[in-house]
Amino acid sequence: MSVGVVEMDRLSLTPKTEGGTATNRRCVKCPEAGILSGLDPKKAVYCRPCFMQMVMHKFRSSIGRQRLFKDGESRKTVVIFDGTPAAAFLLGMIRSGLAADAHHRLQLDPVVVAVVTKLDRQEIDAVIKRIDTIKSYLQCDWHIVHLAAVLSDNLQDLSSSSSEICPGVDQLDRLIELFSSIRSESGRSEMKVRLRTALLYRMTETMGVSKMMTSDTADRLAKLSLSSLALGRGAQMSEDTAVVDKRHPKVAVIRPLKELSDKEVGIFNRFEQLDELTVIVGDPDRASPAVQTITDSFVTHLQAGFHSTLTTVLSSASKVKTATTSRIRCAFCFSSSDDRFCLACRGILDEVGEPSLLPSSLQ
Amino acid sequence: GCIDVTIEFSGGAELLVGKQKIHKASLPSNRDWTIRSLLPWIAEHLMKTDRPELLIENGTVRPGILVLVNDTDWELLGELSYVIKPNDTITFISTLHGG
């Protein structure tokens, strides 16, 4: 398949309301009927063009507000693509932002890094083929890497486009063995998140780039902050959910979708056909319970009945910080630590039955 | 006679109905149709998985799956109680996505 051109700005700003069924409510921005809502249907409702504008504005203002790309500083930014609807949305926002006129142009030079986490070689090949078709949507450098690359001691060839095979696939068996040696499902899930983050930090740093952009939405961050809290990462809640996260000495993590919900992204993608850019890069969660999957389900269900759930969790998380900050940084997650590893990472590393399978930097 | 409606799936929800995004359905007109009564019909006639709970949970749409009726948020239309009319388009968008 080829990814068609999406004329986002023209479509989204069409003045006339298209379709919709009467709701007896008015758009909060214009005299048209209100047919779409954000997180809380009892609050603001919008007509379709104003809804699309509201969503785009949230993205643009999250970046503009942070003055992330001040004059003189490099605009090169690694954009993490994980195949989710939110990642597809992020590609759409970047492409639209780069195509805008000078006044509104997104001041960013993207390098996309797609991370594959499937563990079956045939499925990995299928995912790579799919990502290859998505590449044409955003014209810039793309790098596809497997999570197992984090086990490689040298990362220099990761950003080399001359390589024929997907970097990291040569370490696949070791990664599978590593996961098998972790005692609990929660531990495996946590290890996957930590290894992925460690890989992205290393890659971004190796490429000489100081900024990394993720597509974490409000839903994703709220769920992550609660499950991380349960795993002993309360001290990291504020950093884990910040729009700009600077705990790593050389790489800042940018989360421009923090104030966007999966609902808003899902509706936006539906209207702009951005779902064409999605791919499932990882294996489905296993049937056995884990802190992460139970937390995800809990938050999703609570949000359905109590529409302030996500915003309340995130506003609380942003206030949770340590009273003091040590100068020592954890060698795994780079958070403040009293030792080589923070207590939470020490806990996850202790769950590994075969430490020799870990990257040498973590042994 | 029948009530003709379009049922759409996107955001990954199409994986539950044989990867077909658009379904033209003819509902028997010998009864009133609401979203509530449409769900078991979908489970019986469209779903290709033996796990209907991926779409339908406790008689309603599973949280995390959005519903639009003619591109309008069903939360503004009474959700399960919305009375379906001929030529309506009902869209299910999944925000639950493994990564």
Side-chain angles (χ1 to χ4, degrees):
Chain A
M1 62 158 284
S2 68
V3 181
V5 175
V6 179
E7 301 293 347
M8 218 180 317
D9 285 309
R10 179 160 57 82
L11 283 176
S12 306
L13 297 176
T14 180
K16 186 166 65 92
T17 298
E18 304 167 25
T21 292
T23 64
N24 301 317
R25 293 179 66 184
R26 306 242 69 88
C27 173
V28 293
K29 294 287 186 180
C30 78
E32 298 288 338
I35 61 171
L36 297 165
S37 66
L39 272 180
D40 192 338
K42 292 183 176 63
K43 294 182 176 170
V45 294
Y46 305 86
C47 66
R48 177 165 159 178
C50 290
F51 177 89
M52 304 297 273
Q53 181 73 354
M54 174 271 289
V55 170
M56 285 190 290
H57 178 73
K58 280 195 184 184
F59 172 79
R60 291 174 183 162
S61 65
S62 76
I63 291 185
R65 195 166 57 229
Q66 303 287 336
R67 297 181 54 77
L68 295 166
F69 303 101
K70 295 183 277 281
D71 286 334
E73 194 171 318
S74 169
R75 295 171 178 174
K76 197 157 191 180
T77 303
V78 169
V79 175
I80 310 305
F81 181 72
D82 60 10
T84 57
F89 172 85
L90 182 58
L91 292 188
M93 288 294 100
I94 291 173
R95 176 165 139 151
S96 168
L98 294 179
D101 61 72
H103 187 62
H104 296 288
R105 193 178 188 280
L106 189 60
Q107 303 294 325
L108 175 147
D109 292 327
V111 179
V112 180
V113 170
V115 185
V116 183
T117 55
K118 289 269 187 181
L119 298 178
D120 175 88
R121 276 183 170 80
Q122 279 182 316
E123 290 180 26
I124 291 168
D125 286 343
V127 170
I128 292 170
K129 283 193 178 77
R130 174 83 182 104
I131 294 174
D132 279 340
T133 69
I134 295 172
K135 280 180 179 178
S136 61
Y137 179 81
L138 187 62
Q139 301 290 327
C140 66
D141 279 346
W142 281 68
H143 301 283
I144 306 177
V145 64
H146 193 277
L147 175 61
V150 70
L151 303 178
S152 303
D153 285 332
N154 106 82
L155 271 179
Q156 215 59 43
D157 54 2
L158 283 184
S159 44
S160 164
S161 47
S162 63
S163 174
E164 283 303 310
I165 62 163
C166 173
V169 171
D170 56 316
Q171 302 283 339
L172 190 59
D173 290 339
R174 183 174 163 193
L175 183 68
I176 293 171
E177 241 187 298
L178 171 61
F179 283 151
S180 297
S181 86
I182 296 171
R183 290 194 294 270
S184 71
E185 191 59 38
S186 300
R188 270 186 288 274
S189 187
E190 173 70 353
M191 178 62 78
K192 183 173 165 184
V193 170
R194 297 301 143 199
L195 288 179
R196 185 176 174 279
T197 302
L199 171 64
L200 293 170
Y201 273 136
R202 282 178 69 194
M203 268 192 84
T204 303
E205 190 179 357
T206 300
M207 295 165 72
V209 180
S210 63
K211 289 178 283 287
M212 174 202 314
M213 186 173 283
T214 77
S215 56
D216 298 322
T217 58
D219 302 59
R220 169 76 182 141
L221 293 173
K223 293 169 178 175
L224 192 66
S225 66
L226 288 183
S227 59
S228 291
L229 178 63
L231 296 169
R233 296 188 182 274
Q236 298 159 25
M237 276 181 108
S238 178
E239 286 168 320
D240 281 345
T241 56
V243 174
V244 181
D245 172 356
K246 293 186 173 178
R247 80 189 93 180
H248 187 281
K250 293 182 180 176
V251 177
V253 179
I254 304 165
R255 306 185 178 101
L257 310 193
K258 177 186 172 178
E259 290 179 18
L260 279 160
S261 65
D262 281 342
K263 176 182 177 182
E264 288 160 331
V265 167
I267 293 175
F268 189 97
N269 283 2
R270 159 74 173 67
F271 289 144
E272 296 293 343
Q273 292 93 50
L274 291 174
D275 282 334
E276 300 295 319
L277 306 175
T278 57
V279 55
I280 299 179
V281 301
D283 296 316
D285 292 322
R286 292 188 183 182
S288 53
V291 167
Q292 296 86 349
T293 48
I294 292 171
T295 303
D296 284 3
S297 178
F298 171 73
V299 172
T300 297
H301 282 74
L302 200 58
Q303 173 67 29
F306 297 93
H307 298 294
S308 300
T309 299
L310 293 180
T311 50
T312 301
V313 170
L314 286 178
S315 65
S316 300
S318 69
K319 299 178 174 72
V320 178
K321 296 169 184 172
T322 47
T324 63
T325 301
S326 165
R327 284 203 199 88
I328 303 174
R329 291 278 149 178
C330 172
F332 199 178
C333 72
F334 300 99
S335 299
S336 181
S337 175
D338 290 333
D339 206 345
R340 180 170 172 234
F341 295 112
C342 69
L343 285 176
C345 285
R346 181 76 268 161
I348 185 58
L349 291 168
D350 284 347
E351 261 205 61
V352 176
E354 285 292 336
S356 64
L357 294 168
L358 288 162
S360 55
S361 60
L362 299 179
Q363 292 181 29
Chain B
C2 292
I3 298 173
D4 292 327
V5 299
T6 302
I7 307 175
E8 296 181 351
F9 299 85
S10 69
E14 66 274 20
L15 300 176
L16 306 174
V17 289
K19 297 189 182 178
Q20 186 177 331
K21 293 198 171 186
I22 300 177
H23 300 250
K24 299 291 185 179
S26 294
L27 307 173
S29 63
N30 60 352
R31 60 177 293 193
D32 284 333
W33 289 93
T34 60
I35 302 289
R36 177 181 287 105
S37 54
L38 180 68
L39 296 181
W41 187 93
I42 291 175
E44 183 184 347
H45 293 91
L46 302 184
M47 291 191 77
K48 306 297 189 205
T49 171
D50 56 0
R51 296 187 60 198
E53 70 272 13
L54 293 177
L55 178 69
I56 303 161
E57 195 181 88
N58 295 329
T60 186
V61 177
R62 180 181 177 183
I65 296 183
L66 314 170
V67 184
L68 301 179
V69 178
N70 305 323
D71 289 347
T72 300
D73 190 345
W74 82 325
E75 291 187 279
L76 305 176
L77 296 173
E79 295 190 0
L80 290 173
S81 305
Y82 174 80
V83 178
I84 297 169
K85 294 184 286 296
N87 302 316
D88 274 349
T89 297
I90 296 138
T91 307
F92 297 91
I93 304 169
S94 176
T95 67
L96 310 164
H97 191 88

